Amino acid sequence: MNKNTKIILVFGVYLLHAIPAIAQTSSKNLLQSPISEIGYWLFIAGVLLFVAAFSFWMIKKREASIREAEAKKTMQQELRATELQYRLETEKVINYFAHSMSAHVNVDEMLWDVAKNCISKLSFEDCVIYILDEQDFVLVQKAAWGPKNPEAYKILNRIEIPIGSGIVGNVALTGRAEMIPDTSADERY
């Protein structure tokens, strides 16, 4: 309750206490005494002022409520727009990769294209694609982009990862994708 509301309520309480006193005064006495007549008109002016102030307060409160609702609605619309934009971008990337796969002659070309374009389309820092060597039961790096790929179609310090070893080997073993915010802090790295 703010200061203006308190003043209005105090004035309203005062007026409510004054009504019985005025009602007890006969209309004959009001007309005969100029002081009583002044009091009567002051009371009417006070009531009108109270009604005006209370109305003003209610209007301001309603306007604030409407502004708050509009701000909340705008925020929800912005969140929805962001979500829809993200979905659109995801669908564009999926569509790109679907069309890209059909344009390649062999699997190696397709893997290199996916690795390269994961960076630009999905804003990754780097990308390494592994293929399972079923004979040796290890994951072999087949395509890369970023620090592991200084030249086109070449992988720097190519490694093989046993299934179940490290983050990548664990993902291959469990079949569940993992999101690791800081791989250097993970004991499996």
Side-chain angles (χ1 to χ4, degrees), residues 158-183:
R158 187 182 297 256
I159 62 171
E160 294 181 354
I161 300 175
I163 299 293
S165 176
I167 297 171
V168 175
N170 189 48
V171 168
L173 179 67
T174 63
R176 287 188 317 231
E178 290 187 45
M179 177 81 111
I180 312 292
D182 182 6
T183 55

Side-chain angles (χ1 to χ4, degrees), residues 104-171:
H104 297 293
V105 177
N106 60 39
V107 172
D108 284 341
E109 276 186 30
M110 182 179 62
L111 294 176
W112 280 101
D113 183 55
V114 168
K116 176 183 175 187
N117 288 299
C118 274
I119 299 297
S120 64
K121 301 284 185 197
L122 299 175
S123 303
F124 292 164
E125 291 179 21
D126 66 1
C127 177
V128 179
I129 297 177
Y130 295 86
I131 296 288
L132 176 63
D133 179 345
E134 293 180 10
Q135 185 176 9
D136 294 331
F137 209 56
V138 294
L139 297 169
V140 179
Q141 293 179 336
K142 292 299 272 182
W145 192 260
K148 289 284 285 183
N149 176 242
E151 291 182 43
Y153 299 103
K154 291 190 180 179
I155 298 175
L156 181 65
N157 299 325
R158 187 182 297 256
I159 62 171
E160 294 181 354
I161 300 175
I163 299 293
S165 176
I167 297 171
V168 175
N170 189 48
V171 168

